[in-house]
Amino acid sequence: MEKKRILTGDRPTGPLHLGHYVGSVANRVKLQDEYDAFVIMADIQMLTTHFEHPEKLHQDVLNVAMDNLACGLDPAKATLFIQSMVPQIAELTVIYSNLVTVQQLSHNPTIKTEAAQYNFGESMPLGFLSYPVSQAADITFCRAHLVPVGEDQLPHIEQTRKIVRKFNATYAPVLVEPDAKVSEVPRLVGLDGNTKMSKSLGNAIFLSDPPEEVKRKVSTALTDPARIHPTDKGHPDVCVVYAYHKVFNPEGAADIEQRCKAGTIGCVPCKKLLVDVLNRFLAPIRERRAVYEKDPDSVWDILNKGTARAYEEGAATMALVREAMKIAYFPQ
Ligand code: TRP
Ligand code: SF4
């Protein structure tokens, strides 16, 4: 039986961080055996917030690809590809634009949050407002069944489903309506306690950070502000260090919670424990990344092959779409 297909991916805005790992990358690595996995380097989507910096994309596409491979994505199983090199995604975006209202887009909660973060105010780029339409094309160009993502992406998957239903009802039922699969691990907060770990907020630990950098960053992490002496009774629930222990040190977390509450562990040793846990977790990822860093051509080769396969899928879908819309004027 043919495998079902997943599509997921990231904006290449820099190297991936622990939040990406927990929210999405771990899931895609886990699912790559059971599913035919497509992983998009969404360079066009990156331009919706950083249009003036296309020169960064070359390095960051490479970074994101290397991070995915370092986390265990296997190029023999998964198809890594570059969004801008699959023109059918752009074609579908234009066609889908007619099936969405500006109203719907401006009510998208993730768009609202990000728009505030980028301070667009009255001058929101059209491309930014409509990137969920482009994301619908990212997902549907290969007729994906499932989209493993972090929770913040759910409005976009919902928007995609709406577009697919509208397309199928209006023209002919050729598109696949995808389901979302949200990571079981709750979102990882930033080191500063911000609800989102993000490069632009400067509160992220990157998968490619060396051990000393992890140590330095953890030392800046927000702890229970009410705790002054190591013997003060602490409140782990308001502590970022504890939140990370829960995710990366699940066996040790209960003990830490209890000792923090009792005032029998200080924040300094507690942070030291976390640094060790994170560095043990990151060690094999760093090791695999180092191999790719020495040979970037091999990564471009993986992207090149993956993009060629994505292009074929895009062409097949566009043929169905043209047929459905009765605009297959002559064979292509
Ligand atoms: N919007 C996603 C993010 O910011 C990245 C992305 C682009 C994506 N296209 C996608 C995710 C398609 C899932 C499916 O992380
Ligand atoms: Fe946080 Fe650990 Fe300090 Fe408690 S002891 S406040 S869990 S860093």
Side-chain angles (χ1 to χ4, degrees):
M1 210 179 79
E2 215 166 288
K3 282 182 179 172
K4 288 204 165 185
R5 190 164 286 170
I6 57 182
L7 182 129
T8 185
D10 306 279
R11 290 180 201 178
T13 51
L16 298 183
H17 52 60
L18 288 176
H20 289 114
Y21 184 86
V22 167
S24 176
V25 179
N27 238 343
R28 71 184 74 149
V29 172
K30 202 166 72 192
L31 294 168
Q32 68 179 335
D33 295 309
E34 194 186 333
Y35 289 87
D36 182 16
F38 278 68
V39 180
I40 188 167
M41 316 286 127
D43 59 343
I44 294 288
Q45 192 174 113
M46 177 278 197
L47 292 172
T48 66
T49 51
H50 299 79
F51 71 91
E52 67 283 53
H53 289 300
E55 77 285 353
K56 288 197 168 148
L57 283 169
H58 203 268
Q59 187 57 43
D60 281 335
V61 163
L62 183 66
N63 268 324
V64 170
M66 288 195 297
D67 284 329
N68 272 288
L69 295 165
C71 288
L73 213 68
D74 178 352
K77 294 175 189 154
T79 302
L80 282 81
F81 70 98
I82 302 174
Q83 183 187 27
S84 67
M85 308 269 312
V86 181
Q88 296 87 1
I89 294 177
E91 293 182 61
L92 289 172
T93 303
V94 174
I95 289 168
Y96 294 168
S97 299
N98 300 322
L99 311 177
V100 185
T101 66
V102 173
Q103 249 242 349
Q104 273 172 357
L105 291 168
S106 31
H107 288 156
N108 180 311
T110 298
I111 289 285
K112 281 196 201 162
T113 311
E114 290 176 353
Q117 192 184 326
Y118 287 104
N119 274 318
F120 286 136
E122 294 292 293
S123 38
M124 184 186 292
L126 176 59
F128 174 81
L129 178 66
S130 67
Y131 89 72
V133 182
S134 163
Q135 189 158 327
D138 297 344
I139 294 167
T140 54
F141 89 95
C142 66
R143 302 174 310 283
H145 303 94
L146 197 66
V147 191
V149 278
E151 212 175 6
D152 61 323
Q153 297 296 301
L154 286 178
H156 302 340
I157 314 303
E158 210 30 67
Q159 180 65 75
T160 302
R161 291 167 60 87
K162 278 207 182 90
I163 290 173
V164 168
R165 287 197 295 265
K166 187 131 189 178
F167 183 100
N168 286 347
T170 309
Y171 305 121
V174 296
L175 295 177
V176 176
E177 188 176 334
D179 286 314
K181 185 175 170 69
V182 179
S183 159
E184 287 110 59
V185 184
R187 173 206 285 272
L188 200 62
V189 296
L191 289 165
D192 56 356
N194 192 294
T195 51
K196 194 167 172 158
M197 180 178 270
S198 111
K199 181 178 185 232
S200 52
L201 296 172
N203 62 7
I205 295 176
F206 297 106
L207 298 170
S208 48
D209 276 345
E212 323 78 71
E213 186 65 0
V214 172
K215 187 170 168 201
R216 189 191 67 75
K217 285 181 176 172
V218 169
S219 76
T220 70
L222 180 80
T223 57
D224 174 3
R227 216 164 176 237
I228 297 159
H229 307 290
T231 49
D232 292 345
K233 291 186 172 26
H235 305 85
D237 285 339
V238 300
C239 173
V240 169
V241 177
Y242 176 65
Y244 285 26
H245 272 294
K246 276 201 288 192
V247 175
F248 294 99
N249 180 22
E251 304 87 44
D255 183 51
I256 285 165
E257 177 184 17
Q258 187 249 318
R259 283 161 69 196
C260 173
K261 283 182 174 161
T264 59
I265 184 173
C267 294
V268 173
C270 188
K271 284 180 166 178
K272 165 101 183 41
L273 272 175
L274 180 65
V275 170
D276 293 343
V277 163
L278 291 179
N279 278 329
R280 233 177 295 133
F281 165 76
L282 290 171
I285 297 179
R286 282 190 200 111
E287 211 172 292
R288 278 191 296 262
R289 200 181 202 277
V291 177
Y292 289 110
E293 278 167 10
K294 278 202 208 93
D295 187 11
D297 283 351
S298 70
V299 182
W300 289 115
D301 191 49
I302 289 166
L303 286 167
N304 192 347
K305 291 200 171 96
T307 302
R309 175 160 186 236
Y311 188 100
E312 276 174 33
E313 288 298 331
T317 302
M318 265 317 289
L320 293 173
V321 162
R322 282 185 168 279
E323 202 65 50
M325 298 176 72
K326 305 195 177 5
I327 55 170
Y329 303 106
F330 35 74
Q332 272 185 308

